[in-house]
């Protein structure tokens, strides 16, 4: 785990977050960015890289993210992940974006 990880600090209760969903392994929080009405982040509570999230944990994270997307964005939603600097990955802690609440067009951002 890196020296500082905002998501690990949120999981540990050291930093505030609007928690949308939480169980023993997974947490979904509201993103501080507000590009579209629904911007959430789904992740494991355990620190993991983006590649590890997709390789080992997506079977648990994706169904939760999809269900929350269906509930909050009945007109449709997008699930996506950024891998690396060029894709604008800003946090090392692997996470899945849940975007929706409006017509997203062909691309977001």
């Amino acid at each position: 785990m890196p020296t500082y990880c905002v998501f690990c600090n949120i999981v540990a209760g050291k930093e505030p977050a609007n928690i949308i969903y939480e169980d023993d392994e997974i947490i979904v929080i509201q993103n501080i960015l507000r590009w579209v009405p629904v911007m959430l982040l789904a992740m494991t509570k355990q620190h993991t890289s983006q590649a590890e999230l997709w390789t080992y944990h997506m079977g648990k994270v994706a169904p939760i993210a999809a269900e929350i997307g269906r509930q909050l964005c009945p007109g449709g939603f997008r699930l996506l992940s950024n891998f690396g600097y060029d894709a604008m990955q800003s946090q090392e802690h692997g996470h899945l974006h849940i975007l929706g609440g409006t017509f997203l067009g062909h691309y977001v951002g």
Side-chain angles (χ1 to χ4, degrees):
M1 184 173 76
T3 305
Y4 173 78
C5 174
V6 66
F7 295 156
C8 287
N9 282 352
I10 288 168
V11 168
K14 295 178 182 177
E15 294 196 34
N18 183 10
I19 298 172
I20 306 301
Y21 173 89
E22 183 175 17
D23 66 23
D24 290 340
E25 298 179 64
I26 308 300
I27 189 168
V28 178
I29 61 173
Q30 189 169 30
N31 194 329
I32 61 170
L33 301 174
R34 298 285 193 273
W35 297 336
V36 295
V38 175
M39 281 190 72
L40 307 176
L41 303 170
M43 67 197 79
T44 59
K45 288 182 170 182
Q46 173 188 340
H47 187 90
T48 185
S49 70
Q50 203 71 309
E52 291 167 331
L53 173 72
W54 278 83
T55 302
Y56 304 112
H57 306 288
M58 198 52 72
K60 292 182 181 181
V61 175
I64 292 166
E67 180 57 30
I68 290 170
R70 280 190 289 274
Q71 289 175 9
L72 299 180
C73 308
F77 60 95
R78 197 171 278 165
L79 300 178
L80 65 93
S81 287
N82 302 321
F83 284 77
Y85 177 82
D86 286 349
M88 295 182 63
Q89 180 182 353
S90 62
Q91 302 297 320
E92 292 296 319
H93 192 128
H95 57 284
L96 182 64
H97 294 259
I98 306 166
L99 304 172
T102 190
F103 178 71
L104 297 174
H106 294 288
Y107 302 99
V108 174

